[in-house]
Amino acid sequence: MDILHRVGAKASPETVYTALTTLDGLADWWTEDVKGSADEGGVVAFRFAQGGFDMKVLETRPAEAVVWEVVDGPEEWIGTHIRFDLKQEDGFTIVLFRHEGWREEVEFMSHCSTKWATFLMSLKRLAETGTGEPAPRDVQVSNWH
Amino acid sequence: MDILHRVGAKASPETVYTALTTLDGLADWWTEDVKGSADEGGVVAFRFAQGGFDMKVLETRPAEAVVWEVVDGPEEWIGTHIRFDLKQEDGFTIVLFRHEGWREEVEFMSHCSTKWATFLMSLKRLAETGTGEPAPRDVQVSNWH
């Protein structure tokens, strides 16, 4: 069971790729509290008020793909993979997003699906305007934040 | 394969239920071009610049659940079901959303997942503030709109 999303930013693939593969870029759309190494083989620690995730960077292909494995965080996330595949279409950089390998369709998966959408819209805004909405300034979707 | 989302609105279950089961309510968060009957057994025609969907209303349980079956629209949608389950938690009305029965994980499914998230955020805003972002004033997520 996977969470899927598709967003398109009026920006170059290089701009989107940089936002996915540098600590400064990740801090500008997902969470300001990010540490570690975003290079292939590195581990990135993302922290939020409610906890966080450690991601091992499995693959980085410039302007094409970024793949992470969740190595620490909520039990439901551990072992799952997160993929960002990039392509160009109609002057947009399309991000095909996939959070794959969920073991059960739990309510938390529904929450994460909606939160991913708002964070991917934050990535789109960052790429297009230079300003995203990372935590702790992220869009609140419910009582679970 | 299902699209899942979870949003919570600081509003009563009745307010959210009305937005899901009346033409005026649906016009205020999904698309302004909506016709038909939103009562159980009715068919609602939702139209957008790019096309639209006809939904048969399979079930309406006040302040608890609304279920539609897609009877016309894009081929990938026909026969799929859309469920809104409502519950109260921490002063929020939680909407557990499910668009179920996709036959393949196509790119259009990823697009629809992101669009559903932005429309559910529109439903949340409508319930909380009285103003949503229905088509044609909806949030653009990519070149596919």
Side-chain angles (χ1 to χ4, degrees):
Chain A
M1 278 158 295
D2 305 339
I3 293 170
L4 306 173
H5 288 295
R6 181 186 189 278
V7 297
K10 279 196 178 166
S12 70
E14 290 71 23
T15 299
V16 175
Y17 184 76
T18 300
L20 295 173
T21 54
T22 64
L23 295 184
D24 282 350
L26 292 162
D28 282 345
W29 69 269
W30 199 19
T31 178
E32 291 180 357
D33 189 350
V34 57
K35 294 188 180 72
S37 163
D39 298 327
E40 202 168 288
V43 173
V44 192
F46 297 94
R47 293 294 177 271
F48 302 79
Q50 302 87 343
F53 318 103
D54 289 356
M55 307 286 191
K56 181 165 185 190
V57 182
L58 295 186
E59 189 180 347
T60 55
R61 274 187 287 132
E64 282 188 16
V66 175
V67 185
W68 298 329
E69 179 180 349
V70 183
V71 292
D72 205 357
E75 196 194 331
E76 296 93 334
W77 278 50
I78 294 174
T80 60
H81 285 194
I82 291 162
R83 292 190 61 95
F84 304 86
D85 286 293
L86 309 183
K87 64 177 178 176
Q88 287 181 273
E89 211 173 277
D90 306 333
F92 286 77
T93 295
I94 306 299
V95 180
L96 288 170
F97 171 88
R98 181 180 284 270
H99 184 173
E100 60 195 5
W102 287 76
R103 287 173 291 275
E104 283 186 282
E105 276 192 12
V106 288
E107 191 170 337
F108 183 51
M109 183 176 171
S110 302
H111 168 73
C112 293
S113 176
T114 312
K115 282 299 283 191
W116 273 125
T118 61
F119 280 120
L120 290 164
M121 291 301 286
S122 169
L123 169 63
K124 168 182 166 68
R125 263 191 292 274
L126 170 66
E128 291 177 346
T129 70
T131 306
E133 293 173 310
R137 295 178 286 112
D138 53 324
V139 176
Q140 187 171 354
V141 304
S142 73
N143 58 328
W144 287 358
H145 199 86
Chain B
M1 278 159 295
D2 305 338
I3 293 170
L4 306 174
H5 287 296
R6 180 186 188 278
V7 297
K10 278 195 178 167
S12 70
E14 290 71 24
T15 299
V16 175
Y17 184 76
T18 299
L20 295 172
T21 53
T22 64
L23 294 184
D24 283 349
L26 293 162
D28 283 344
W29 69 270
W30 200 18
T31 179
E32 290 179 357
D33 189 350
V34 57
K35 294 188 180 70
S37 163
D39 298 327
E40 202 168 291
V43 173
V44 191
F46 298 94
R47 293 295 177 269
F48 302 81
Q50 301 90 343
F53 318 103
D54 290 355
M55 307 286 191
K56 181 164 186 196
V57 182
L58 294 187
E59 189 180 345
T60 56
R61 275 187 286 131
E64 282 188 16
V66 175
V67 186
W68 299 329
E69 179 181 350
V70 183
V71 292
D72 204 358
E75 195 195 332
E76 297 94 333
W77 278 50
I78 295 175
T80 61
H81 286 193
I82 291 162
R83 293 190 60 95
F84 303 86
D85 286 293
L86 309 183
K87 64 176 178 175
Q88 286 182 273
E89 210 173 279
D90 305 334
F92 287 76
T93 295
I94 306 299
V95 180
L96 289 169
F97 171 88
R98 182 180 282 270
H99 184 172
E100 61 194 4
W102 287 75
R103 287 172 290 275
E104 283 186 282
E105 276 192 11
V106 288
E107 192 171 336
F108 183 51
M109 183 176 172
S110 302
H111 168 72
C112 293
S113 176
T114 313
K115 282 298 284 192
W116 272 125
T118 61
F119 280 120
L120 290 163
M121 291 300 287
S122 170
L123 169 63
K124 168 182 166 68
R125 262 191 294 274
L126 170 66
E128 291 177 346
T129 71
T131 307
E133 293 173 312
R137 295 178 286 113
D138 53 324
V139 176
Q140 187 172 352
V141 303
S142 74
N143 59 327
W144 288 358
H145 198 88

